[in-house]
Amino acid sequence: MSLNYFFRTSPKEWDIVDAIISYDQDYTTEELSLNQVLLKIKSDLKTIGKAQKSLNKYVLKATTQVDVRSTGRGHQIENEEHQAVSINNISQNEVVNVASVNNIAMNQPYSLTAFHLVCSSPPINISNHERTHFVENVIPSLLALGKTLDFIEFKWCESEFISSKMLNQKDCDYDLRSAPPSKCIDALGTLTTHNNMELIIVEASSGQLKENATHSIEDTLKILECGISSLRKEAAHYNDSSLSTFMKLKVYGVHVIKSQVTLSEISLDDETHWKCIELRSAKLPTVWSDRVGLVQYMELLATLYVCL
């Protein structure tokens, strides 16, 4: 029974994404939509709440997360047999991604349509070429995110990274023609403001079949180096900014290795150190049978949306 997920897992560790995956695996004999799976989870949570009153606090939190994923709304959700629940009852840490679902839902249909299109006609000869995997499985969701935001614009496939070149102007006597070649980024998200800050750095290090370890390490260092260069360029542009204000400025890296997507945040830690924090990681499904895994990937995009 799928209900076993909630009994074999500590209530403090209940995770709706894990529950969805568990339920989807248990109901392999019948084709269920995500909403149908969520309804089954909600029904089972109600049963648990009646059977064990001591778990009501955890049931309430889990039910709220189910409701938000079902409707995409952060306000109170009404149900015929269930009392209205507000996400304000959830702790601060748990609300982070829930609050973004309403906004990220705007680009979900485009991402899901592209995912269905790719999965409905799988290639006969699967290639390990990194560009094929990147264009088919990663770009559609980032494109949808960029188009639904008014202040981010993406440039695709080997886009020139300008910040490093701007920082090296003095070394080349302020003649950019003699500057070293700029680094090229697989996808570069820039602000649509007058200074066009390079805010999102996306690198794909391999195709979906086999990892090139050397390339992965090089791209990891590239994301770190370019992220710091972008922040340094902004520091040079706003010399009057205070240290505390500058420490709030962040650049985001998205690293794709095979089907693993990692979201990181780069910022100034103190006067002499930078810091890089991994915010989210998700396995991007590439076949229809793994479609439930899209929930974690959408959560990664929601985290990026909130941070922006």
Side-chain angles (χ1 to χ4, degrees):
M1 283 181 63
S2 299
L3 186 63
N4 288 338
Y5 167 80
F6 293 103
F7 290 110
R8 68 171 182 261
T9 309
S10 169
K12 294 181 180 180
E13 298 176 356
W14 283 355
D15 183 89
I16 295 304
V17 174
D18 290 340
I20 292 172
I21 294 172
S22 175
Y23 274 64
D24 189 61
Q25 291 173 346
D26 287 349
Y27 287 97
T28 53
T29 56
E30 51 183 310
E31 194 76 18
L32 295 179
S33 67
L34 179 58
N35 277 339
Q36 288 174 317
V37 173
L38 290 171
L39 285 174
K40 287 182 179 292
I41 292 175
K42 188 173 179 179
S43 175
D44 288 346
L45 284 169
K46 184 177 179 181
T47 302
I48 293 171
K50 288 182 178 179
Q52 299 189 35
K53 301 293 185 182
S54 61
L55 297 179
N56 273 343
K57 179 177 70 171
Y58 303 104
V59 169
L60 178 63
K61 292 180 181 180
T63 303
T64 303
Q65 293 181 50
V66 171
D67 283 334
V68 174
R69 282 186 168 85
S70 299
T71 64
R73 297 182 181 89
H75 55 72
Q76 289 188 336
I77 303 163
E78 295 288 341
N79 183 280
E80 291 179 355
E81 301 176 354
H82 196 280
Q83 184 180 0
V85 178
S86 170
I87 64 168
N88 293 327
N89 295 325
I90 308 178
S91 68
Q92 182 71 22
N93 291 336
E94 292 170 314
V95 172
V96 171
N97 280 336
V98 172
S100 67
V101 174
N102 187 35
N103 295 319
I104 201 68
M106 295 174 63
N107 74 62
Q108 270 189 347
Y110 304 104
S111 302
L112 295 175
T113 300
F115 173 69
H116 182 267
L117 178 63
V118 171
C119 292
S120 62
S121 55
I124 298 175
N125 299 314
I126 301 178
S127 168
N128 195 50
H129 194 279
E130 67 180 61
R131 287 289 178 269
T132 302
H133 171 54
F134 183 62
V135 170
E136 289 187 351
N137 300 310
V138 180
I139 284 183
S141 55
L142 293 177
L143 175 63
L145 177 65
K147 293 298 183 183
T148 54
L149 294 171
D150 295 331
F151 54 87
I152 293 289
E153 186 177 83
F154 278 98
K155 300 174 183 177
W156 310 104
C157 298
E158 302 303 317
S159 176
E160 183 181 21
F161 189 75
I162 303 297
S163 295
S164 298
K165 181 179 285 189
M166 299 297 291
L167 290 171
N168 293 328
Q169 286 186 93
K170 185 176 180 180
D171 295 334
C172 58
D173 197 23
Y174 300 95
D175 184 358
L176 294 181
R177 292 173 298 179
S178 60
S182 300
K183 293 184 181 296
C184 292
I185 309 298
D186 290 339
L188 186 61
T190 60
L191 287 176
T192 55
T193 54
H194 67 281
N195 63 324
N196 299 121
M197 178 183 177
E198 291 161 324
L199 190 63
I200 305 173
I201 302 163
V202 185
E203 281 293 325
S205 299
S206 67
Q208 64 186 84
L209 298 179
K210 185 179 180 181
E211 178 186 359
N212 184 331
T214 302
H215 194 183
S216 298
I217 294 172
E218 290 174 349
D219 281 348
T220 300
L221 294 175
K222 183 196 285 188
I223 290 174
L224 289 171
E225 181 184 341
C226 291
I228 292 172
S229 294
S230 180
L231 290 169
R232 287 179 59 209
K233 191 200 87 168
E234 294 306 305
H237 192 76
Y238 297 102
N239 286 321
D240 295 331
S241 173
S242 66
L243 181 63
S244 59
T245 299
F246 183 66
M247 290 173 67
K248 297 177 183 178
L249 187 62
K250 299 173 176 62
V251 173
Y252 300 93
V254 178
H255 197 181
V256 184
I257 303 176
K258 296 175 64 177
S259 59
Q260 187 74 19
V261 184
T262 303
L263 173 65
S264 58
E265 176 187 270
I266 303 168
S267 62
L268 182 69
D269 189 30
D270 56 41
E271 292 185 5
T272 57
H273 296 87
W274 303 92
K275 65 179 177 180
C276 179
I277 301 172
E278 180 180 319
L279 298 179
R280 282 289 186 277
S281 65
K283 189 171 183 180
L284 180 61
T286 55
V287 294
W288 185 249
S289 58
D290 296 335
R291 62 191 179 280
V292 175
L294 266 177
V295 177
Q296 283 187 320
Y297 180 62
M298 291 298 175
E299 207 165 30
L300 183 148
L301 291 177
T303 301
L304 177 58
Y305 184 99
V306 169
C307 290
L308 293 174

